[in-house]
Amino acid sequence: MFVLKKKILFLIVDGLGDRPSAILNDLTPLEYAETPTLNALAARGICGLHTTIAPGIPPGSDTAHLALFGYNPHKYYTGRGVFEAAGLGIPLQPGDIAFRTNYATIEDGIIVDRRAGRIRDDKDELARLVDGLHIDGIQAIFKHSVEHRGCLVLRGDSLSHQITSNDPKREGNPPPEIAAKEKSAEASAQVLRKLIAKVEERLQDHPLNKQRQALGKLPANTLLVRGASSAVQLPNFEERFALKGAVCVAGFALYKGAAALVGMKVLYVPGATGRVDSDLNAKIKASFEALEENNFVFLHFKGADNEGHDGNFLEKAAYLEKADKALEPVLGRDDLVFALTGDHSTPCGIRDHSADPNPLMAVSSDCLRDSVKEFGERSVIAGGLGHIRGVDVMPIIMGLANRTKKFGA
Amino acid sequence: MFVLKKKILFLIVDGLGDRPSAILNDLTPLEYAETPTLNALAARGICGLHTTIAPGIPPGSDTAHLALFGYNPHKYYTGRGVFEAAGLGIPLQPGDIAFRTNYATIEDGIIVDRRAGRIRDDKDELARLVDGLHIDGIQAIFKHSVEHRGCLVLRGDSLSHQITSNDPKREGNPPPEIAAKEKSAEASAQVLRKLIAKVEERLQDHPLNKQRQALGKLPANTLLVRGASSAVQLPNFEERFALKGAVCVAGFALYKGAAALVGMKVLYVPGATGRVDSDLNAKIKASFEALEENNFVFLHFKGADNEGHDGNFLEKAAYLEKADKALEPVLGRDDLVFALTGDHSTPCGIRDHSADPNPLMAVSSDCLRDSVKEFGERSVIAGGLGHIRGVDVMPIIMGLANRTKKFGA
């Protein structure tokens, strides 16, 4: 019997979920925003909520994406650094350890901005400050990414990722000293401490900072590192889901990294910045083009998460309206299975990830469309998908696309 | 404290769930059908949805029934053949391997009908064509079942079920050659190839086929085998649920087999054909009679699945109306716990099992009846049982019947 296998567009709106706020008339940013396209799509599809990992666990962006790709992060996650490295196209060798980094602003030993004013200066220069350094026989490989973000890889003998971070995670605190979590990691911790001291030394009177200060901007004068992890081999996504042609359209390194780690092809899309200003129309266009030759596109919108982290209620709503507008062409594609959800909630009032579940929609021309007519954290409670876990999202999408395999006879 | 333990009637309507279709005004067959009895029962009970095995997994009929009997199929399932053998009352010995079979029509090496026009000729003759053959010291045991269906058991030394099927699963293809999945199964594959060649030879000029062709019917001129499996011992259902007197009322071999494998007593009900034309009233009557002496009846209605596989939207709805009518007497039995669900969805638009969840109702005079007043795939979303997994259905029924055992003190 012939069954039409549908193509799939899976959009993750980073940090989508939120909590109600008095600033938004007791609504969430998604509820407050005018989103006629999302509502029309929800009305055509099945909705629900997912708890990305498990109740009460605020997911990291990395573990959240693993779960939404169908990989149990408790089984497959070793740390964030390797995602950053994969996203920036740094090929890892066995024994390498990798870190996510921030350029940050320190004053009198206190971190005053963990993002150095979301610095957007010369990326190559910001990379050269670290890349190629050698400390105690260990080589540093560094690529700079978007704004303050970058990825550090250490290469050499006997490295261990069992070391702590120097990121205090909050402004107003001194950076904690990097330490070994176990004896075998002491040399690695020592290398990293020396490396950061060297980078701080290079930054102290760097022309880039003089220029920033002249413009009233915060200087980048230290490097925060976190997410220490060692190289990991994940099962291939296309094999796992018997789905040839899986590609990623994302602007931001971490998500490209997550996609690359599971074997998706990562597209370069001009205008996809991984910031609030990203060209979402270009990303939709690139996704449609990719779907001509491929069967699955993972599309990622980053901006809502940024606004959540910065506590910008109205701006988060405005970004969601921008996303809604960009999604208009999806209304014309009822040949596809279209799914949309957040990887985690980033409530503006929390300014960080929370464990709150995320609204989810799955749209297919012959799905059991439910009574949900608006897409929001609370309207989807009545939806037909109910309340599920993140790792179940991909199998459900595959079922709607008629791409699943019978178990039994 | 005295608690009344209720008797249980558990009806599985095979292939119940479906998707909305334009042919049925964007309703599913169950939503489209007039089902006043189902609606009245749903209004008295608690409703919900179950995903039989796991999200995105279309269940086979065998694995689905295991799950609904409370057995995790990932743990207990070895293949379909043993279910067929049990259903047809072929006692298996250790070392036997069993297969589900189809008489089929082949023309110029291509399968033109996997079911030989749903052949209904002399069952004994169809059995004799295979039963008793000896190939390379291996004995063939064969029973014919309903329409094109049968069960083949091979008995002898060193058999292995690690062999592939010759069923292309789609018309228009040649049957793939039976092959060994591992070296130790090569002799078994060889025996099966020779057996099928021998059966084809016997069928070639068989009077049965001459008669069929004279009537313009497709000939049965080959045998397709699938679901190779070896004997398996399942924990006893009555012991598992501390429920003495569990019986099965079903017309179709596979479901009798599933019931027999877990130790249920299988009743023979005249008129229960396992086809769309089955006498459902007789099955209800037999169930009520069985409940006089027994505590649990598993009742199985097959027809909806047949109509789904054949893509008959209106006929599936009509069959559900017939089932609804047959269930009228259940309205008078509020002493029972009555539960009804599908084992899997068989959407008419797919013509195969899908991973879509199935509606579920559990009715008991003192249950927490919810707001659901109609029984359909979408109306039950608001039900009190929520969205559960197949293996949780039996324990919930047992809870409503006051037949569960406290954990703790």
Side-chain angles (χ1 to χ4, degrees):
Chain A
M1 178 54 215
F2 174 75
V3 181
L4 180 69
K5 291 182 176 178
K6 297 185 179 186
K7 297 190 173 198
I8 298 165
L9 177 58
F10 183 16
L11 168 57
I12 297 181
V13 179
D14 210 276
L16 176 63
D18 212 301
R19 297 179 181 178
S21 158
I23 294 168
L24 306 175
N25 305 328
D26 274 330
L27 299 172
T28 69
L30 178 59
E31 292 169 341
Y32 182 87
E34 290 208 20
T35 54
T37 301
L38 292 181
N39 295 347
L41 288 167
R44 289 185 192 180
I46 326 180
C47 294
L49 290 162
H50 77 85
T51 286
T52 320
I53 295 170
I57 299 186
S61 292
D62 39 20
T63 52
H65 276 72
L66 274 186
L68 290 172
F69 291 163
Y71 296 73
N72 179 349
H74 288 293
K75 184 166 172 190
Y76 293 110
Y77 184 68
T78 67
R80 175 157 184 169
V82 295
F83 287 77
E84 300 285 342
L88 288 170
I90 306 175
L92 293 186
Q93 297 177 6
D96 287 356
I97 58 175
F99 305 82
R100 159 71 198 272
T101 65
N102 274 23
Y103 276 112
T105 308
I106 191 167
E107 262 178 41
D108 303 326
I110 300 294
I111 300 292
V112 296
D113 188 343
R114 289 178 55 250
R115 300 180 182 91
R118 290 195 182 274
I119 183 168
R120 292 198 204 176
D121 293 62
D122 181 353
K123 283 168 72 156
D124 291 339
E125 183 56 25
L126 287 167
R128 270 193 299 272
L129 285 158
V130 190
D131 191 48
L133 282 174
H134 280 79
I135 311 278
D136 299 347
I138 301 297
Q139 178 194 357
I141 300 157
F142 189 91
K143 273 203 184 180
H144 198 76
S145 162
V146 177
E147 296 178 335
H148 49 282
R149 303 171 184 91
C151 174
L152 168 67
V153 172
L154 297 181
R155 179 166 296 164
D157 288 340
S158 304
L159 287 165
S160 165
H161 73 287
Q162 296 296 335
I163 51 184
T164 63
S165 164
N166 70 335
D167 184 344
K169 295 300 276 178
R170 273 198 199 181
E171 277 85 4
N173 294 291
E177 187 171 72
I178 285 162
K181 291 185 192 172
E182 53 190 43
K183 204 162 170 64
S184 64
E186 278 175 7
S188 301
Q190 168 81 348
V191 166
L192 198 51
R193 288 194 296 267
K194 286 187 182 172
L195 178 99
I196 289 164
K198 183 77 187 163
V199 173
E200 286 182 343
E201 193 187 308
R202 284 181 165 193
L203 283 164
Q204 186 139 29
D205 296 305
H206 195 282
L208 178 149
N209 275 330
K210 292 199 166 151
Q211 195 180 12
R212 287 183 67 78
Q213 280 164 315
L215 294 166
K217 291 180 179 174
L218 291 169
N221 55 15
T222 191
L223 192 70
L224 302 178
V225 302
R226 57 189 161 108
S229 56
S230 55
V232 62
Q233 188 65 45
L234 290 167
N236 183 271
F237 182 82
E238 293 188 2
E239 285 172 21
R240 196 176 182 85
F241 291 107
L243 182 82
K244 281 206 178 121
V247 306
C248 159
V249 174
F252 196 80
L254 177 69
Y255 312 103
K256 292 181 190 172
L261 276 179
V262 299
M264 288 185 210
K265 192 166 57 190
V266 178
L267 300 187
Y268 170 72
V269 179
T273 64
R275 294 187 306 255
V276 169
D277 65 3
S278 192
D279 184 347
L280 304 185
N281 298 312
K283 289 168 88 169
I284 292 285
K285 191 160 168 283
S287 299
F288 283 174
E289 283 167 10
L291 282 168
E292 286 173 26
E293 300 293 324
N294 296 281
N295 289 315
F296 178 91
V297 167
F298 153 55
L299 172 62
H300 183 269
F301 286 178
K302 175 69 176 159
D305 182 55
N306 294 354
E307 301 294 14
H309 277 288
D310 289 346
N312 298 333
F313 296 86
L314 288 163
E315 289 80 355
K316 185 170 175 182
Y319 178 85
L320 293 172
E321 292 185 352
K322 172 181 161 179
D324 184 84
K325 188 96 184 125
L327 287 168
E328 264 182 26
V330 177
L331 289 169
R333 291 300 302 267
D334 65 0
D335 56 318
L336 300 176
V337 171
F338 173 74
L340 185 161
T341 190
D343 55 341
H344 51 73
S345 295
T346 309
C348 297
I350 307 281
R351 298 188 178 210
D352 203 348
H353 304 186
S354 75
D356 301 296
N358 267 265
L360 163 69
M361 71 164 88
V363 189
S364 180
S365 59
D366 66 346
C367 72
L368 284 154
R369 62 180 62 170
D370 55 32
S371 63
V372 177
K373 300 275 180 275
E374 291 186 0
F375 191 63
E377 288 86 343
R378 292 176 282 195
S379 54
V380 299
I381 292 171
L385 292 175
H387 195 146
I388 62 173
R389 295 290 170 94
V391 289
D392 292 331
V393 171
M394 261 306 295
I396 286 172
I397 296 171
M398 293 296 291
L400 293 174
N402 306 320
R403 288 180 176 274
T404 42
K405 209 178 152 216
K406 200 187 286 183
F407 172 43
Chain B
M1 172 58 208
F2 174 76
V3 181
L4 178 68
K5 291 183 177 178
K6 297 187 181 185
K7 297 191 173 197
I8 298 164
L9 176 58
F10 183 17
L11 169 57
I12 297 181
V13 178
D14 211 277
L16 175 64
D18 213 301
R19 295 180 181 178
S21 159
I23 294 168
L24 306 175
N25 304 331
D26 274 330
L27 300 172
T28 69
L30 178 59
E31 292 170 341
Y32 181 87
E34 289 207 24
T35 54
T37 302
L38 291 182
N39 295 347
L41 288 167
R44 291 186 191 176
I46 327 179
C47 293
L49 291 162
H50 76 85
T51 286
T52 319
I53 295 172
I57 297 185
S61 291
D62 40 19
T63 52
H65 276 72
L66 276 185
L68 290 172
F69 292 164
Y71 296 75
N72 179 349
H74 287 294
K75 185 167 172 190
Y76 292 111
Y77 184 68
T78 67
R80 175 159 183 170
V82 296
F83 288 78
E84 300 284 344
L88 288 171
I90 307 176
L92 292 185
Q93 296 177 7
D96 287 355
I97 58 174
F99 305 82
R100 159 70 198 273
T101 66
N102 274 23
Y103 276 112
T105 308
I106 192 165
E107 261 179 42
D108 302 327
I110 301 293
I111 300 293
V112 294
D113 190 342
R114 288 179 58 248
R115 300 181 181 92
R118 290 197 183 275
I119 183 169
R120 291 198 204 175
D121 294 63
D122 181 353
K123 284 168 71 154
D124 290 338
E125 183 56 26
L126 288 168
R128 270 193 299 272
L129 285 158
V130 191
D131 191 46
L133 283 174
H134 279 80
I135 311 276
D136 301 347
I138 301 297
Q139 179 194 357
I141 300 156
F142 189 91
K143 274 204 183 179
H144 198 74
S145 162
V146 176
E147 295 177 336
H148 49 284
R149 304 172 183 93
C151 176
L152 169 68
V153 172
L154 296 182
R155 180 166 296 163
D157 288 339
S158 307
L159 288 165
S160 165
H161 74 289
Q162 296 297 333
I163 51 185
T164 62
S165 165
N166 70 334
D167 185 344
K169 297 300 274 176
R170 273 193 199 185
E171 276 84 5
N173 294 290
E177 188 172 70
I178 287 162
K181 291 184 191 170
E182 50 190 45
K183 202 161 173 58
S184 64
E186 277 174 9
S188 302
Q190 169 83 348
V191 166
L192 198 50
R193 286 192 299 264
K194 286 186 185 174
L195 179 97
I196 288 164
K198 182 79 188 160
V199 173
E200 287 182 343
E201 193 187 306
R202 286 183 165 193
L203 284 164
Q204 186 139 26
D205 296 305
H206 197 281
L208 179 149
N209 276 330
K210 291 200 168 152
Q211 193 179 11
R212 287 183 67 78
Q213 279 163 315
L215 294 166
K217 292 180 180 174
L218 291 169
N221 55 13
T222 192
L223 192 71
L224 302 177
V225 302
R226 56 188 159 109
S229 56
S230 55
V232 61
Q233 188 64 48
L234 290 166
N236 182 271
F237 183 81
E238 293 188 3
E239 285 171 21
R240 195 176 182 89
F241 291 108
L243 182 81
K244 282 209 177 115
V247 305
C248 158
V249 175
F252 194 79
L254 177 70
Y255 313 102
K256 292 181 188 171
L261 277 180
V262 300
M264 288 186 210
K265 192 164 56 189
V266 178
L267 300 188
Y268 170 73
V269 180
T273 63
R275 295 189 303 257
V276 169
D277 66 2
S278 193
D279 184 347
L280 305 184
N281 297 312
K283 290 168 88 168
I284 293 286
K285 190 159 167 282
S287 299
F288 283 174
E289 282 167 12
L291 283 167
E292 286 173 25
E293 300 294 323
N294 296 280
N295 289 313
F296 179 91
V297 167
F298 153 56
L299 172 61
H300 183 268
F301 286 178
K302 174 70 176 160
D305 182 54
N306 293 355
E307 302 293 14
H309 277 287
D310 289 347
N312 298 332
F313 296 88
L314 288 162
E315 289 80 356
K316 184 170 176 182
Y319 178 86
L320 294 172
E321 292 184 352
K322 172 181 162 179
D324 185 83
K325 188 93 184 130
L327 287 168
E328 264 183 27
V330 176
L331 290 167
R333 292 299 302 266
D334 66 358
D335 57 316
L336 300 176
V337 171
F338 174 73
L340 186 161
T341 190
D343 56 340
H344 52 74
S345 296
T346 309
C348 297
I350 306 284
R351 298 186 178 208
D352 204 348
H353 303 187
S354 76
D356 301 296
N358 266 265
L360 164 69
M361 71 163 89
V363 190
S364 180
S365 59
D366 67 346
C367 74
L368 285 155
R369 63 180 63 171
D370 55 34
S371 64
V372 176
K373 300 275 181 273
E374 292 185 1
F375 190 62
E377 287 87 346
R378 291 177 282 195
S379 53
V380 300
I381 292 169
L385 292 176
H387 195 145
I388 62 174
R389 296 287 169 99
V391 289
D392 292 331
V393 172
M394 259 307 294
I396 286 172
I397 295 172
M398 293 297 292
L400 292 174
N402 306 319
R403 288 180 176 275
T404 42
K405 207 174 154 218
K406 200 186 286 180
F407 172 47

